[in-house]
Amino acid sequence: MKFVEHFPHKVKMHEHVEIPMPDGCHLAARIWLPETAEQQPVPAILEYIPYRKRDMTRLRDSITHPYLAGHGYACVRVDLRGSGESGGVLVDQYRQQELDDGVAAIRWISEQPWCDGSVGMMGISWGGFNALQIASLAPPQLKAVVSACSTDDLYLDNMHYMGGCLLTDNLSEATTMFSVNTCPPDPALVGERWRDMWMERLRGSGLWLDTWLRHQYRDHYWEHGSVSQRYEAVQCPVMLVGAGRTATRIRFSACWNISGCRARG
């Protein structure tokens, strides 16, 4: 195994940044930047998931994102609405609110003084799903996507149903997200609001299994967020990992040079 201890750029980290949404809600972000980014803006990479940047994915984030920032990217790890220290309520996977928030976050990132206007997305599983889904909305600032272990079809090839059969993952994912959604935000970051934010989540998030079991056939519920419904909407380069069926259908590129992708248009 090779250990890399020295990088082309020194890195600074912002523990908690609040990204404003159009409706007044704020999404919580942890950001790593090359130290010179505000003087020499760089491309940005967004990872957008509900798994609590403050604790659940903290160790992993502290390895992945500083490495990329050390190689010249601004790395922005954002908790979905209703998770971690983000405001609002998370009521289900991949709903339109999640995708709209992602588009707004990309716009905000592109406008920061440390960003050169180009934003990419990367993600595994949930983050890979919404990266593809947001790409299909074609925000102009989104220049490339790396999506690992995701799918183009939420009914045909996901953890809920497969070949019409109910999967045990349907229950395990619902249980996992119930436990995540009932965790409070950290008072050290959000202050005295933490209890009100927590109570809002407990009242509003619900048991997602109830929703998933009400859609045992392919219908509009699964068609939403399935990029298989409109492959042509994905216009930016996409690198797919561990998603063979999707990779055969979506135009993709094995490049992660966002600046280069921007130059190509």
Side-chain angles (χ1 to χ4, degrees):
M1 181 179 293
K2 179 180 180 181
F3 292 88
V4 179
E5 297 180 350
H6 302 285
F7 301 96
H9 300 268
K10 292 183 178 180
V11 176
K12 61 180 179 181
M13 187 269 291
H14 299 280
E15 177 66 34
H16 181 67
V17 177
E18 296 192 353
I19 301 177
M21 295 291 102
D23 65 354
C25 185
H26 287 78
L27 302 188
R30 190 179 179 201
I31 300 176
W32 295 259
L33 301 172
E35 281 192 344
T36 59
E38 292 188 356
Q39 293 74 44
Q40 299 173 309
V42 296
I45 300 171
L46 167 64
E47 185 177 21
Y48 180 51
I49 52 179
Y51 302 124
R52 298 178 58 88
K53 64 177 178 57
R54 183 67 162 170
D55 41 46
M56 286 186 68
T57 64
R58 187 173 184 83
L59 177 59
R60 186 215 65 168
D61 294 344
S62 296
I63 296 171
T64 303
H65 292 289
Y67 179 89
L68 295 171
H71 286 85
Y73 295 95
C75 291
V76 187
R77 165 67 176 85
V78 176
D79 278 334
L80 301 188
R81 179 185 293 243
S83 66
E85 282 65 54
S86 292
V89 178
L90 183 60
V91 297
D92 199 356
Q93 298 174 319
Y94 321 127
R95 297 300 89 202
Q96 191 61 47
Q97 183 70 70
E98 174 184 338
L99 306 186
D100 291 344
D101 284 351
V103 171
I106 288 170
R107 184 185 310 114
W108 181 88
I109 292 167
S110 73
E111 294 172 349
Q112 299 313 296
W114 36 260
C115 180
D116 68 2
S118 293
V119 181
M121 290 189 71
M122 69 173 190
I124 301 171
S125 188
W126 193 314
F129 279 88
N130 65 28
L132 286 179
Q133 294 160 8
I134 291 171
S136 74
L137 300 178
Q141 305 88 354
L142 183 62
K143 306 302 182 181
V145 163
V146 173
S147 177
C149 302
S150 65
T151 180
D152 61 344
D153 195 304
L154 296 179
Y155 182 76
L156 185 63
D157 188 19
N158 193 6
M159 65 178 61
H160 305 291
Y161 300 92
M162 190 168 291
C165 294
L166 177 65
L167 301 180
T168 56
D169 282 349
N170 203 45
L171 176 59
S172 62
E173 177 68 2
T175 305
T176 296
M177 292 313 301
F178 185 79
S179 67
V180 172
N181 292 337
T182 54
C183 292
D186 189 338
L189 297 184
V190 302
E192 295 181 358
R193 297 179 293 144
W194 75 271
R195 184 175 178 83
D196 291 338
M197 294 171 67
W198 188 26
M199 291 297 106
E200 184 182 15
R201 293 178 190 180
L202 293 176
R203 288 190 296 266
S205 184
L207 183 63
W208 298 0
L209 182 64
D210 179 69
T211 299
W212 297 341
L213 290 177
R214 293 176 187 275
H215 296 277
Q216 296 191 24
Y217 297 94
R218 184 185 184 89
D219 59 14
H220 67 281
Y221 176 83
W222 303 110
E223 291 172 356
H224 169 80
S226 293
V227 298
S228 59
Q229 299 296 306
R230 46 181 186 142
Y231 291 118
E232 70 283 356
V234 180
Q235 294 295 310
C236 69
V238 175
M239 179 178 178
L240 292 157
V241 182
R245 180 176 179 275
T246 310
T248 63
R249 298 193 177 191
I250 299 179
R251 178 172 66 91
F252 70 96
S253 167
C255 105
W256 183 248
N257 186 331
I258 302 174
S259 297
C261 293
R262 175 179 163 185
R264 289 166 49 197

